[in-house]
Amino acid sequence: KIFKSFFILLCLFLFSSVNAKDKLRVDYNNLYLRKGPGTNYGYIKKLGVSANFDLVDKTLYPNEKGCSDGWYKIYYSGAETGYVCASYVTLFEEKEVPSTATTDCEKEMESLKFPNTYWNGLCALKEKHPNWTFTADITGLPFDVATSKESVIGKSFIQSNYEGYFNVDSGSYDYLNDTFKVMEGSNWYAASKEVVSYYMDPRNFLDERFIFMFEKLSFDENYQTVEAIKAILNGKDIKEKSSVIYEAGKTYNANAIYLASRIRQETGGNYTGNSLKGSTITYNEKTYYPVYNPYNIGANTGVYDGLVWAVSGTSFLRPWLSLDNAIKGGADFITYYYISKGQDTSYFQKFNVSSYSSYAAYSHQYMTNIRGAANESSITYEGYKEMDLLNNVNYKFVIPVYDDMPSDISLLPNGGNPNNHLKNLTVNGKTINGFSHDNYSYNYYVGSGINKVKISGEVINYKASISGDGDINLTSDKTVATLKVTAENGKVQDYVINIIKTDGANVSVNDIVASSGVPVSETSFILTAGYTVDALKEIFLKSCSSAEISFNGKTSGLLATGDEITIKNGEDEKTYSIAIKGDTSGDANINIADLLKIQKHILGYINLSGSFLKAADVNNDGSVNIKDLLIVQKHILGYTTIK
């Protein structure tokens, strides 16, 4: 009964808050797009969270099955349509941008729904190759969201000596030791978001060489010939397999030139790697020889994984103990799992953002090499050029268009080291209380008679520089000193020290709390999950180093809802309760137990109070309702993080 009542309450809330607008945004990841308005209809694909789509009309189709709020009909790939449950989406208006197209080509590109920042590149290609066809795939995905998803550690790797290209997030970079983690092989690192943005921004590749990353990957015997394949495969041994690659493309309806380019890309262009020359592999206590995998299918962490995959099943002509079977079986695999499922360009195989992909956005991606699609495109271009196939072929290109694309085309970052952090920060030769390399603001109290202090810092990376250090004259009751740390790549990080003249014992607890920046409501500190005793203590000591901080019996570990902290400075003393947003059970974690407590409170079965009530109000709007429940639910499922 509780769950039934909750479900009715949830549906009524969502139904009442949705107003028909021009567009629709998906609020949950892996939302099913269906062929009709009900779960009894088959699904077309899964939609990614934050994806935007045009509404067919503003009608809310009544539920046939599975969604009592009803169904919206949307366009998801050009004129293709499907239905989504209204419970998991938000409607909004989109402002129309006045046309700026002047030439016939620009007007054509505008009619095809390409933004004006695409026009120069596409029209230059169209002028040179009038028979080439361009189609815009309106992905419905915000560019910033897409690049963030593809920047998650493990998604995109880069082989480079430029540290400025590497991801500095936790799991990729150790700031304190100034070291990047090798993700694969000996020199593959996680790519930074700026690098990912560069390679995901289609506008960087609208030229004759790189446009082929957007080429449709179906077979066409008019130009995908054995001779053209030989032009791609300039290696001595593999060149003899050109006819095998041609037949594989023809049999499985895969672009044979693309297959040859993929082999060349995956084997480094020299065709001598273990995946191509035939290797010995022992799998399940059985030894196989020779084993091939020219496409490196299954090579998630290296070539060896791919060779194991080549003998670990019987599908797709496996085990691949002949190069012919590996070429044919691999073509079958690529067609079955990628080309036929909507990932029918090199770009979409690296970045699964296609509006017509059968898989959820950002999943099921062929490679981690951030340059993979660009490299394959370059190889394909050289082959077409050598065979004089650039001018007389009706190539078809599908080019993604994102929502909220930046007006400026994404650029590669400076290749210098990005570390602009301090290893140490001292005042008058002593490390400032509570120093951390990623804490950028401090309060430092001095006696009223002090007129000068000396500030110095030590950089983590020796190529970084500091300005603003040295002797600081204290000409007022509060002096703000700023140390600027400039990394080798030019990025600046400020460390700010507020130097306050006072007798430390005269600083009130209210002032300590106010200067700490810790959110407070009446006598409760409102924190997010993960705070420890030591971390919170350090924050208040940074506000006033003379303060005494104690907890209700706790000396270490995670803080939970219901804990208490006492702050004392001089004669002033106050005790505050702790509320961890989402932790309504008081165990320092956010899980289904907390979700149930919020649900029962909303339905009136229990009454949360005090810090537990504040913990339930995760969106800080002064009440506990269905909105808070949804935020906690999304947090548990990993879609969002409570902030």
Side-chain angles (χ1 to χ4, degrees), residues 517-528:
V518 176
V520 61
S521 174
E522 298 173 351
T523 58
S524 294
F525 290 127
I526 314 299
L527 308 176
T528 53

Side-chain angles (χ1 to χ4, degrees), residues 417-567:
N417 185 283
N419 196 324
N420 53 12
H421 287 64
L422 292 177
K423 182 187 296 184
N424 195 19
L425 177 60
T426 65
V427 179
N428 294 334
K430 183 179 179 181
T431 299
I432 196 166
N433 192 19
F435 170 76
S436 173
H437 76 282
D438 56 358
N439 183 16
Y440 311 119
S441 181
Y442 302 87
N443 288 340
Y444 187 83
Y445 294 92
V446 298
S448 57
I450 303 298
N451 296 316
K452 181 186 291 186
V453 296
K454 184 174 184 178
I455 297 177
S456 62
E458 181 183 2
V459 295
I460 294 173
N461 181 269
Y462 73 96
K463 297 176 183 178
S465 61
I466 299 177
S467 62
D469 55 344
D471 290 337
I472 306 297
N473 293 317
L474 309 181
T475 58
S476 61
D477 290 340
K478 179 180 179 181
T479 301
V480 180
T482 302
L483 271 70
K484 292 184 176 293
V485 184
T486 304
E488 184 190 18
N489 69 358
K491 290 191 174 181
V492 178
Q493 177 61 62
D494 289 346
Y495 286 80
V496 178
I497 306 175
N498 300 305
I499 306 169
I500 303 168
K501 287 186 176 183
T502 182
D503 180 354
N506 292 332
V507 179
S508 70
V509 172
N510 285 342
D511 288 340
I512 294 172
V513 171
S515 64
S516 72
V518 176
V520 61
S521 174
E522 298 173 351
T523 58
S524 294
F525 290 127
I526 314 299
L527 308 176
T528 53
Y531 269 88
T532 64
V533 167
D534 290 339
L536 190 60
K537 184 176 182 179
E538 285 184 9
I539 290 174
F540 290 118
L541 287 176
K542 288 171 190 173
S543 293
C544 182
S545 57
S546 63
E548 298 177 31
I549 313 295
S550 61
F551 295 82
N552 56 327
K554 271 193 175 179
T555 58
S556 63
L558 289 172
L559 290 168
T561 299
D563 286 339
E564 292 183 344
I565 177 174
T566 298
I567 304 173

Side-chain angles (χ1 to χ4, degrees), residues 560-632:
T561 299
D563 286 339
E564 292 183 344
I565 177 174
T566 298
I567 304 173
K568 181 179 180 182
N569 193 44
E571 298 300 320
D572 195 12
E573 178 178 334
K574 285 189 176 182
T575 297
Y576 298 83
S577 62
I578 302 293
I580 304 296
K581 291 200 288 185
D583 174 29
T584 57
S585 58
D587 62 358
N589 296 305
I590 302 174
N591 50 37
I592 192 65
D594 303 295
L595 192 70
L596 288 173
K597 280 185 176 291
I598 297 175
Q599 175 194 326
K600 290 179 179 179
H601 176 85
I602 293 171
L603 296 173
Y605 293 102
I606 63 172
N607 288 311
L608 295 173
S609 61
S611 58
F612 292 92
L613 182 62
K614 295 181 185 298
D617 181 19
V618 292
N619 65 354
N620 300 316
D621 66 353
S623 63
V624 177
N625 52 38
I626 196 69
K627 295 179 182 179
D628 302 294
L629 190 70
L630 287 173
I631 293 171
V632 173

